[in-house]
Amino acid sequence: MGTEPFDAVDVIATKRDRKRLSEDQIDWVIDAYTRGVVADEQMSALAMAVFLNGMDRAEIARWTDAMIRSGERMDFSSLPRPTADKHSTGGVGDKITLPLAPLVAVFDVAVPQLSGRGLGHTGGTLDKMEAIAGWRAHLSNDEIMDILGTGPGAVICAAGTGLAPADRKLYALRDTTSTVECVPLIASSIMSKKIAEGTGALVLDVKVGSGAFMKDGERAGELARTMVDLGTDAGVETVALLTDMDVPLGLTVGNALEVRESVEVLAGGGPEDVVELTLALAREMLRMAGRPDADPEAALKDGRAMDRWRDMVRAQGGDPDAALPVAPHTEEIRAEGNGVLTRLDALAVGVASWRLGAGRTRKEDPVQAEAGIEILAKPGQTVRAGDPLLRLHTCTPERFERARQALVGAIEIGPDASEPRGSVVLERITAN
């Protein structure tokens, strides 16, 4: 057994004492942790030191690069199409990937959307897609390349275990050591996987608000700027949009319900906020892929995006004509008075949907494709006492009580109209 060039205790002490980690220290500690030489308790201490004392841009870039180098990288340079990807930090009712991927692919841009499953109140893209009969999330690299190269051009699938294995190990550790909400560690976690996926351009959808991971606009902006810098430093053109997540996105939360709404968008309809954000992200991706004159709005209206969606679903074994599963039990939340709906808290709606069975507490837990919430009124609408505001869906009616508890205090009705909701896109952040 060879001698290690560093000692974990010394690396921890460096960051504990608010000093910069050297490139060699970072390279070693990520590699050694992946190999099992650095123990979980030692990496926990280092993560907490980073949480408390931060990292500068060069440290974060090196940390990210070390995590990328811990595994394999995908290479799309042989594809006949340019590539563009999108990543969302997660929100309530965030089904944007579903209409976005086939929409961008209409314009001969490959979209390698390697996605994950939901944990807690934010839904997972793979969980949504698995509500479609026959659809499969796990594809080989050859299948991915075929779909992107000569097939529909868009793929939504599970990321391979070979991408950034150091991040997968560290992510699980951060979740149990209260070091999740740390911008350097969040940014490097997201970007190590996205850069390893090999896309040529990346648009980040950074949610901010009650239903988002980042509740505060200043912190969300810091995260967005850090990730844009990491992508830029790695040679990937990267842009971030800060988007509103105080109110659920669209009119549905839950897996099959969100697929249904996504299909409505692809058919040229759907809620205004979902359409707005889908088009905003599509335009960014198309511009970076060399298609600045493409008109994604026209592709939604004339059926091209829907045709590409159907091809994309079929390419992964799914049946786009199969009926989506429907929950056998529903219950409505009704307005308690007359007035204007002034508040519908996104986090509370997300938690209620989770408790109905749409989400999971542990990664191995199953989810109900049928469970979720229909939003029958959104802030700014006038309602009368007894009007239905939300419709809860579940396969297990004993879940209704805890879902209702999550919604206590989440709905406010006032006598006057609230400020009209502005654009869902709050800010655009580019490289310095």
Side-chain angles (χ1 to χ4, degrees):
M1 187 173 179
T3 303
E4 297 290 336
F6 293 96
D7 186 281
V9 174
D10 293 334
V11 177
I12 295 165
T14 299
K15 186 48 66 177
R16 179 201 64 192
D17 295 339
R18 301 182 179 181
K19 298 176 183 176
R20 293 187 73 259
L21 295 176
S22 71
E23 293 185 349
D24 288 341
Q25 282 178 313
I26 292 171
D27 291 348
W28 174 79
V29 78
I30 295 297
D31 176 64
Y33 180 56
T34 307
R35 291 185 285 119
V37 172
V38 171
D40 278 347
E41 59 268 25
Q42 292 173 314
M43 185 55 88
S44 297
L46 180 57
M48 184 60 75
V50 171
F51 183 95
L52 295 172
N53 297 322
M55 284 180 165
D56 65 24
R57 178 170 175 171
E59 283 179 291
I60 302 171
R62 190 69 178 201
W63 186 278
T64 304
D65 186 59
M67 291 203 294
I68 294 168
R69 286 184 280 109
S70 73
E72 65 183 30
R73 293 187 68 157
M74 297 194 73
D75 182 1
F76 297 125
S77 61
S78 63
L79 292 177
R81 301 160 166 164
T83 54
D85 195 6
K86 185 271 295 185
H87 177 80
S88 168
T89 56
V92 178
D94 182 10
K95 71 277 296 174
I96 298 298
T97 294
L98 278 64
L100 177 65
L103 175 59
V104 172
V106 164
F107 299 95
D108 204 32
V109 175
V111 185
Q113 190 68 61
L114 277 61
S115 302
R117 302 187 185 281
L119 191 63
H121 77 276
T122 57
T125 300
L126 300 184
D127 297 320
K128 303 182 208 303
M129 292 297 296
E130 286 179 337
I132 301 170
W135 186 89
R136 57 193 179 94
H138 296 280
L139 303 176
S140 69
N141 285 355
D142 286 344
E143 287 176 308
I144 293 171
M145 294 297 285
D146 286 345
I147 292 171
L148 294 177
T150 57
V155 64
I156 298 173
C157 66
T161 57
L163 293 175
D167 173 66
R168 189 169 60 255
K169 193 173 180 181
L170 180 56
Y171 186 93
L173 186 72
R174 287 167 51 219
D175 205 35
T176 60
T177 57
S178 196
T179 53
V180 170
E181 295 179 2
C182 172
V183 167
L185 297 181
I186 298 168
S188 59
S189 173
I190 291 171
M191 294 303 291
S192 64
K193 294 190 289 287
K194 301 313 289 186
I195 295 167
E197 285 171 13
T199 187
L202 176 64
V203 181
L204 300 163
D205 179 4
V206 180
K207 305 292 188 187
V208 57
S210 74
F213 182 69
M214 286 290 181
K215 318 292 184 192
D216 175 73
E218 186 175 334
R219 291 276 288 167
E222 179 188 355
L223 174 61
R225 283 186 288 273
T226 301
M227 292 194 292
V228 168
D229 287 345
L230 286 172
T232 302
D233 291 347
V236 178
E237 185 177 2
T238 308
V239 169
L241 301 183
L242 291 186
T243 66
D244 179 22
M245 190 34 71
D246 273 330
V247 178
L249 191 59
L251 299 174
T252 58
V253 181
N255 300 308
L257 292 170
E258 292 190 45
V259 174
R260 185 188 72 193
E261 186 167 278
S262 298
V263 172
E264 291 172 359
V265 172
L266 288 160
E272 288 183 10
D273 55 352
V274 177
V275 174
E276 179 197 352
L277 185 52
T278 299
L279 290 174
L281 293 166
R283 290 181 179 118
E284 294 288 352
M285 293 170 71
L286 290 165
R287 178 189 59 77
M288 291 193 289
R291 308 284 193 269
D293 298 325
D295 186 354
E297 186 172 6
L300 285 180
K301 292 178 178 177
D302 64 19
R304 285 177 291 162
M306 176 66 84
D307 290 343
R308 194 60 60 107
W309 159 263
R310 293 172 63 83
D311 291 344
M312 183 183 81
V313 169
R314 288 194 194 97
Q316 292 179 232
D319 181 357
D321 296 314
L324 292 165
V326 176
H329 304 282
T330 63
E331 187 173 292
E332 291 181 343
I333 304 293
R334 296 180 177 272
E336 295 182 357
N338 300 333
V340 174
L341 182 62
T342 57
R343 179 170 170 267
L344 180 62
D345 184 72
L347 176 60
V349 173
V351 171
S353 179
W354 171 24
R355 290 182 178 180
L356 289 166
R360 54 173 63 81
T361 303
R362 301 173 303 167
K363 289 182 180 178
E364 61 270 22
D365 290 345
V367 297
Q368 294 181 20
E370 304 87 343
I373 296 178
E374 283 182 272
I375 299 167
L376 306 176
K378 293 192 83 167
Q381 290 183 230
T382 300
V383 297
R384 298 185 62 81
D387 284 353
L389 304 178
L390 302 172
R391 184 174 294 121
L392 315 185
H393 296 244
T394 187
C395 298
T396 44
E398 60 271 19
R399 292 176 178 265
F400 281 132
E401 177 58 31
R402 291 196 69 235
R404 286 196 302 270
Q405 290 172 4
L407 293 166
V408 173
I411 298 169
E412 293 180 4
I413 297 173
D416 301 315
S418 59
E419 288 278 332
R421 190 182 183 197
S423 172
V424 70
V425 179
L426 305 175
E427 186 178 351
R428 180 175 182 269
I429 294 173
T430 59
N432 294 325

